[in-house]
Amino acid sequence: MEFKQIKNNKVYEQIIEQIRELIYEGELKKGDKLPSERQLKKDLGVSRASIREAFSALEMIGLIESRPGEGTFIRDSFDEDFFNPLSLILLLNDNVAEELLELRRVLEIDCVKLAAERATAAEIEEMQSYINDLLSSSGYEEESIKADKMFHYTIARASGNKVLLFFMRSISEAMDFHIKNTRTKLVSKEETMSKFARQHEQIFKSLKNHDPEKAAAEMRNHLDYVEKLINKEIEG
Amino acid sequence: MEFKQIKNNKVYEQIIEQIRELIYEGELKKGDKLPSERQLKKDLGVSRASIREAFSALEMIGLIESRPGEGTFIRDSFDEDFFNPLSLILLLNDNVAEELLELRRVLEIDCVKLAAERATAAEIEEMQSYINDLLSSSGYEEESIKADKMFHYTIARASGNKVLLFFMRSISEAMDFHIKNTRTKLVSKEETMSKFARQHEQIFKSLKNHDPEKAAAEMRNHLDYVEKLINKEIEG
DNA sequence: AGAGTACTGATGGTCTGACCATCAAACAAT
DNA sequence: ATTGTTTGATGGTCAGACCATCAGTACTCT
């Protein structure tokens, strides 16, 4: 005898499933407008409440966007600034700080290789400005942190791989909470920041010369230093 | 003059925000039971509908789980089998197939390095079994695909980095849709499968000997071959 | 005493109908 | 041509109701 697992899907999950399939089949594309809640209520034979549960879930993951008075639309890009739920989930796991550090390391090194091959003139110019920011902002914690993050972020963007960029951002966001205090302590030291700035410059030079291996080596060096500091700070 | 952006957060978003903060502060941990919807309704002064919208969103991303008659709980692990919303978002982007391939390449190579260092005896044994499956399942498409996927999946798990495993799964799921048909065509050829099996064996040997660099090289070789086939299939 | 049964209360799941705020478009007034 | 006004559709929120499910509890029967 063989029994099939009985799955008592909730209504809102079935609604999501249908929308999902429409996306797979290409019937729903970026920017498309979904039917109104009241229309869907008729079409699907369910209550508006269930539809709204489905919509809020889809909005949470950044797939759709509801605008009062207008309607509900499929988002046209996922690289905009929306809350990334991944970081929330990562929060709940133990030892996740170490794993995040490890993963960031491998991703960032691959990232800088790709960036060295593909970075455009505009992106290189942008990186230069963040290096300048870091040099001139010594003493101002917030500005320093921002300049540091933006430098790395721009590298990720210059990799030309949006999925990679998305992953890097998820990791970065998650790390912000796990290592928040540590980060502030690190950057508050004048000496550390000037060393960061110099390392960034080294990475940047290799990027500018489109030398992937050199850039990777410099990034490795930079991350070694960062991780050493973090470990020292964590362990006391 | 400087104006601040007015943000009229929806009620359900504010509820999520509060839960989020409770997690950050450590007041909510894995397996914890949330207050009932009716209790939260009183505490927060909102309707049950809004609370349910918040909950369905949190359930979508796999953070919580609602069980009728019992209550709502924080999930105790995110590596179980829940629908991964990331793959849905990735579907909407153009050229994402190429980016996924590129990203999988770099991640999988780093993955196999870590796995070579850390794989346990049990995991190595598991890999061996999937290699045997692949050898013995020639001709049966479904079994071959499963054996192939499980081999790679086990490597990801053996890396010991759960976040990395999570990312690999997201990529794998997303790729399944973008390259679904292609995959089936690839595996249907007897010749291809036997070659896959041999390459898996090479990777496995290096893993067993805990030789990261060799394993990475073999993986690179394997992925080169796979990507060559995929490109050939896509272009005609 | 032990095992099974029935009741009860709490919980999530769903639906209905209502009211509000917002927006776009058509229209009216200047 | 610009500025208000109206109107209808839409999303946002709420209250109240009913159901199915589950965990105890009290009860019954042996």
Side-chain angles (χ1 to χ4, degrees), chain B residues 120-164:
Chain B
T120 66
E123 285 160 346
I124 288 178
E125 195 173 339
E126 209 175 320
M127 293 178 203
Q128 176 73 68
S129 76
Y130 293 128
I131 289 181
N132 294 340
D133 287 352
L134 192 57
L135 283 169
S136 65
S137 70
S138 62
Y140 299 96
E141 277 182 16
E142 277 193 33
E143 286 181 29
S144 300
I145 292 179
K146 192 179 176 187
D148 179 51
K149 288 183 74 166
M150 286 309 294
F151 179 70
H152 287 276
Y153 175 75
T154 308
I155 292 179
R157 185 150 47 79
S159 76
N161 192 315
K162 285 181 188 169
V163 186
L164 177 53

Side-chain angles (χ1 to χ4, degrees), chain A residues 162-219:
Chain A
K162 286 180 187 169
V163 186
L164 177 53
L165 173 62
F166 183 81
F167 279 13
M168 289 294 291
R169 279 187 47 179
S170 302
I171 295 176
S172 179
E173 278 183 34
M175 279 196 0
D176 277 352
F177 293 101
H178 281 275
I179 321 184
K180 196 171 192 176
N181 300 328
T182 308
R183 181 173 216 143
T184 310
K185 282 183 192 165
L186 292 188
V187 193
S188 60
K189 288 182 188 171
E190 187 79 22
E191 178 202 346
T192 307
M193 284 322 291
S194 67
K195 201 150 188 171
F196 272 27
R198 261 178 286 148
Q199 289 171 351
H200 281 195
E201 267 186 318
Q202 293 301 316
I203 298 170
F204 175 68
K205 269 188 199 168
S206 309
L207 269 169
K208 203 172 169 185
N209 295 331
H210 299 288
D211 185 343
E213 291 310 320
K214 184 85 193 300
E218 296 292 352
M219 179 62 84

Side-chain angles (χ1 to χ4, degrees), chain A:
Chain A
M1 265 194 299
E2 191 174 334
F3 290 99
K4 287 182 183 177
Q5 185 74 21
I6 293 178
K7 48 179 175 181
N8 181 19
N9 278 338
K10 300 166 196 167
V11 173
Y12 86 84
E13 287 177 342
Q14 298 180 44
I15 298 174
I16 290 175
E17 188 58 31
Q18 289 206 30
I19 294 176
R20 197 178 156 194
E21 280 172 17
L22 287 177
I23 291 178
Y24 289 156
E25 294 163 5
E27 284 202 55
L28 280 177
K29 295 185 303 293
K30 286 197 272 181
D32 281 1
K33 186 175 183 298
L34 292 167
S36 75
E37 297 177 356
R38 288 169 178 83
Q39 184 61 42
L40 273 178
K41 167 194 159 116
K42 289 181 198 164
D43 294 348
L44 299 175
V46 297
S47 72
R48 247 188 92 198
S50 295
I51 293 172
R52 288 191 55 77
E53 287 177 20
F55 278 14
S56 65
L58 292 176
E59 192 165 24
M60 175 84 178
I61 67 171
L63 188 78
I64 66 175
E65 182 182 11
S66 290
R67 294 196 285 269
E70 295 185 57
T72 304
F73 305 83
I74 309 261
R75 281 185 87 109
D76 45 356
S77 67
F78 66 83
D79 51 31
E80 281 176 26
D81 189 43
F82 75 92
F83 169 62
N84 184 350
L86 198 54
S87 55
L88 230 185
I89 300 182
L90 294 181
L91 268 185
L92 289 170
N93 250 49
D94 308 325
N95 301 329
V96 81
E98 298 168 26
E99 295 185 2
L100 284 173
L101 269 175
E102 182 175 86
L103 189 51
R104 190 186 74 145
R105 184 190 180 81
V106 299
L107 272 184
E108 189 127 36
I109 289 173
D110 289 323
C111 219
V112 81
K113 281 187 199 171
L114 293 174
E117 292 172 4
R118 300 173 186 169
T120 65
E123 285 160 347
I124 289 179
E125 195 173 339
E126 211 176 320
M127 294 178 200
Q128 176 72 67
S129 77
Y130 293 129
I131 290 181
N132 294 339
D133 287 354
L134 192 58
L135 284 169
S136 65
S137 70
S138 61
Y140 298 95
E141 276 181 17
E142 276 192 33
E143 286 181 29
S144 298
I145 292 179
K146 193 180 176 187
D148 179 52
K149 286 183 74 167
M150 284 311 293
F151 179 70
H152 287 276
Y153 175 74
T154 308
I155 292 178
R157 186 149 46 79
S159 77
N161 192 315
K162 286 180 187 169
V163 186
L164 177 53
L165 173 62
F166 183 81
F167 279 13
M168 289 294 291
R169 279 187 47 179
S170 302
I171 295 176
S172 179
E173 278 183 34
M175 279 196 0
D176 277 352
F177 293 101
H178 281 275
I179 321 184
K180 196 171 192 176
N181 300 328
T182 308
R183 181 173 216 143
T184 310
K185 282 183 192 165
L186 292 188
V187 193
S188 60
K189 288 182 188 171
E190 187 79 22
E191 178 202 346
T192 307
M193 284 322 291
S194 67
K195 201 150 188 171
F196 272 27
R198 261 178 286 148
Q199 289 171 351
H200 281 195
E201 267 186 318
Q202 293 301 316
I203 298 170
F204 175 68
K205 269 188 199 168
S206 309
L207 269 169
K208 203 172 169 185
N209 295 331
H210 299 288
D211 185 343
E213 291 310 320
K214 184 85 193 300
E218 296 292 352
M219 179 62 84
R220 232 177 251 119
N221 179 41
H222 176 49
L223 294 178
D224 279 343
Y225 182 67
V226 174
E227 287 174 22
K228 205 177 68 184
L229 286 180
I230 290 178
N231 286 331
K232 199 184 291 177
E233 198 67 45
I234 290 177
E235 291 163 8

Side-chain angles (χ1 to χ4, degrees), chain B residues 4 14 17 47 71 77 82 85 91 130 153 184 205 214 234:
Chain B
K4 288 181 183 174
Q14 298 179 47
E17 188 58 31
S47 73
S77 67
F82 75 91
L91 268 187
Y130 293 128
Y153 175 75
T184 310
K205 268 188 198 167
K214 184 85 191 303
I234 288 178

